[in-house]
Amino acid sequence: MKRLGNVYHKIWDIDNLRLAHINARKGKSHYKEVKMVNENVDYYLYKIQEQLKNKTYKTSKYVHSVIDDKGKQREISKLPYYPDRIVHWAIMLQIENTFIKNFIEDTYASLPNRGTHKVIKKINNALKDKEKTKYTLKLDIKKFFPNVDKDILKSLLRKKFKDPNLLWLLDEIIDSSKNGLPIGNYISQYLSNFYLSYFDHWVKEDLRIKHYYRYMDDIIILESNKFLLRLYKLHIDHYLKTKLNLKIKNNWQIFPTFERGIDFLGYRLFGDYTLLRKKIAKSIKNKVKTINKRGVKKNDINSIMSYMGWLEHCNSFNFSKKYMFSTIKKVKKYEILFST
C-alpha cells in the first residue's frame, strides 16, 4: 500500500493558506475574526505560516455548547476562525483527495457530493429488487465521535501517510480534545469517516455485503433473509469492539423492509415512494399552525424554506397542498412587503 509523503510544506505554502482562508470564510464574512483577517490578510497568513514551518502551532481553546439535534443532545466544540479553521482547511486542501480515494462508494455524510439525498436515492434504487432487500438491519454506533480511540486513529493515519511533519500536525489536532473527536471541527468529519473506512472495506470485501450504506455512524444493510442479517450483526459487533474499540447501540433492529419502511435521515423509504418521518411532519404542522395563529415573522422564512427542501425529495404533494401552499404565499408576501 503506497503511503503519501512530502505533504507538509504544501500545507504552509502561502498560496495554499490564501485558498484556505477564502474557503474557510464562506458564509462567515460577518464574523469578527474573519473581518480581522480580511483587513490584513498577509500579516495573519504569514503568522500561520511561521507557526507551521517552526512547528509551534498549538490548537486554540475550544468553546463548548450543547444543541438539540433531532431530539439528541450533542456537544458542539468550536475553535476560533483564526488560526485554527484556516489551518484545518489548509490541511484538507492537500489531503482530502487521499481520504476520498480511501472511502468506499457508499460512505456518506459531510463529504463532497455525498449528502442525505444521494444516499436516499441509492437505497430507493436498491429497493427495486424487493426479494434481495426483503429485510433491513439498522444500527448505529454508541456515542461515536467521543468514543473514537485516538491511538487507533493515529495508527490508521500512519497506514496512509508517511510524512512525519504532517502526522505531527494531525496528532496535535487529535490530542487537542479531551475525548475522541470533537463535533464541530471541520477536519473531524474527515477523520471520523477515515476511522471507519477500513471497516467499510472489510464489510464490502470480506463479508461481501452488497447493500451496505453508512451515513457517518448510522448503518443500513439490506438482505433477503433475517438469518444473514443476524450473522452480519454479530461479525460487525466483533469487528467494532476488537479493531476500533466501539460498540453498537442497543437499539439495533432487524425488520421487514416493505411493511415498515426504512426510517432513515428524516424519511421513511419504501422504494416506490418516500414519506417524511412522522416527527418532521409533526414539526411542519406545528410551525404552520403557529404562523396561522400569530402571523409571519422573519425567522419563519428560513424554517419554511428548509421544510420545502425536505418535501421536495419525497412524495408529499397532498401534504404540501394541505399544510404548506397557503403558508408559502404568506411568507412570500411577507418577504415582498419588507424588501420594498
Side-chain angles (χ1 to χ4, degrees):
M1 182 187 296
K2 189 175 180 180
R3 294 187 298 154
L4 182 67
N6 199 30
V7 179
Y8 191 68
H9 72 282
K10 297 177 183 177
I11 293 171
W12 54 255
D13 179 85
I14 197 64
D15 289 332
N16 188 61
L17 292 175
R18 289 187 197 283
L19 184 56
H21 169 53
I22 290 168
N23 288 339
R25 72 184 180 187
K26 288 178 181 175
K28 298 175 175 63
S29 298
H30 59 289
Y31 281 24
K32 185 178 179 180
E33 284 185 297
V34 176
K35 291 178 180 179
M36 177 189 78
V37 176
N38 282 339
E39 287 175 1
N40 198 343
V41 174
D42 282 354
Y43 172 76
Y44 289 107
L45 294 188
Y46 276 110
K47 279 188 71 174
I48 292 176
Q49 184 186 63
E50 183 181 354
Q51 290 175 10
L52 293 175
K53 283 177 74 173
N54 298 329
K55 294 172 69 174
T56 58
Y57 168 78
K58 290 287 182 184
T59 300
S60 304
K61 189 176 180 180
Y62 288 93
V63 175
H64 303 286
S65 60
V66 177
I67 65 165
D68 187 288
D69 180 18
K70 299 171 186 174
K72 297 179 182 178
Q73 297 296 306
R74 298 191 187 277
E75 183 177 77
I76 303 298
S77 303
K78 189 176 180 181
L79 286 171
Y81 178 81
Y82 172 84
D84 304 279
R85 190 166 178 85
I86 297 173
V87 170
H88 290 194
W89 266 94
I91 295 168
M92 293 315 305
L93 283 170
Q94 295 303 320
I95 68 172
E96 180 186 50
N97 287 338
T98 303
F99 277 143
I100 296 293
K101 288 176 183 176
N102 200 59
F103 299 153
I104 65 167
E105 184 181 337
D106 286 310
T107 296
Y108 303 87
S110 303
L111 298 173
N113 303 311
R114 298 208 200 180
T116 301
H117 301 304
K118 184 167 184 177
V119 64
I120 293 300
K121 185 177 180 180
K122 192 76 179 289
I123 293 173
N124 273 331
N125 283 336
L127 294 179
K128 291 176 181 177
D129 188 342
K130 295 186 182 295
E131 187 56 38
K132 292 184 179 179
T133 60
K134 195 173 180 181
Y135 293 97
T136 298
L137 167 61
K138 182 183 177 185
L139 58 88
D140 63 324
I141 297 169
K142 186 176 181 180
K143 296 183 178 178
F144 172 51
F145 276 84
N147 282 329
V148 167
D149 187 301
K150 295 181 181 183
D151 291 332
I152 294 173
L153 174 58
K154 290 176 185 178
S155 69
L156 293 175
L157 287 168
R158 280 153 178 78
K159 292 171 68 174
K160 188 55 61 178
F161 303 104
K162 62 181 180 181
D163 184 325
N165 292 323
L166 168 65
L167 291 167
W168 164 80
L169 181 56
L170 292 174
D171 287 353
E172 206 289 324
I173 294 169
I174 291 167
D175 290 335
S176 68
S177 61
K178 186 177 179 181
N179 297 310
L181 292 172
I183 300 174
N185 268 2
Y186 172 64
I187 203 168
S188 289
Q189 62 201 42
Y190 286 91
L191 291 175
S192 56
N193 269 315
F194 178 73
Y195 191 71
L196 292 175
S197 63
Y198 292 94
F199 163 72
D200 291 336
H201 282 282
W202 172 78
V203 167
K204 298 296 286 186
E205 296 156 18
D206 288 41
L207 294 186
R208 297 182 178 275
I209 299 176
K210 180 180 180 181
H211 297 301
Y212 164 86
Y213 310 94
R214 180 173 67 79
Y215 191 92
M216 198 53 76
D217 61 317
D218 291 316
I219 294 169
I220 295 291
I221 298 174
L222 308 172
E223 195 44 88
S224 58
N225 66 77
K226 292 181 180 180
F227 174 77
L228 272 175
L229 290 178
R230 291 194 186 100
L231 193 61
Y232 292 156
K233 190 266 176 184
L234 290 173
H235 283 301
I236 288 169
D237 199 22
H238 182 261
Y239 185 102
L240 291 175
K241 285 179 181 177
T242 58
K243 302 286 187 181
L244 297 176
N245 199 19
L246 295 171
K247 293 181 180 179
I248 294 173
K249 282 178 69 173
N250 290 330
N251 62 351
W252 64 273
Q253 304 172 58
I254 294 175
F255 55 87
T257 302
F258 299 99
E259 289 180 24
R260 282 178 46 180
I262 303 170
D263 190 336
F264 194 52
L265 303 177
Y267 296 101
R268 291 170 61 210
L269 313 178
F270 294 86
D272 296 333
Y273 61 98
T274 301
L275 302 178
L276 269 184
R277 178 179 284 168
K278 290 180 180 178
K279 190 173 182 180
I280 294 175
K282 186 178 179 181
S283 295
I284 293 175
K285 292 176 185 178
N286 289 338
K287 187 68 174 178
V288 169
K289 185 178 179 181
T290 300
I291 291 173
N292 289 338
K293 188 175 181 179
R294 53 101 165 122
V296 181
K297 292 187 176 180
K298 190 174 182 179
N299 60 0
D300 292 329
I301 297 171
N302 288 337
S303 297
I304 294 301
M305 292 303 105
S306 174
Y307 287 141
M308 285 305 297
W310 283 99
L311 292 165
E312 280 178 17
H313 296 275
C314 63
N315 301 90
S316 63
F317 179 79
N318 290 333
F319 182 90
S320 297
K321 184 178 179 181
K322 184 174 181 180
Y323 294 102
M324 293 295 288
F325 288 176
S326 60
T327 306
I328 291 168
K329 288 180 182 178
K330 291 178 183 178
V331 168
K332 286 184 176 179
K333 187 177 179 181
Y334 176 92
E335 283 187 292
I336 294 168
L337 180 65
F338 285 89
S339 63
T340 55

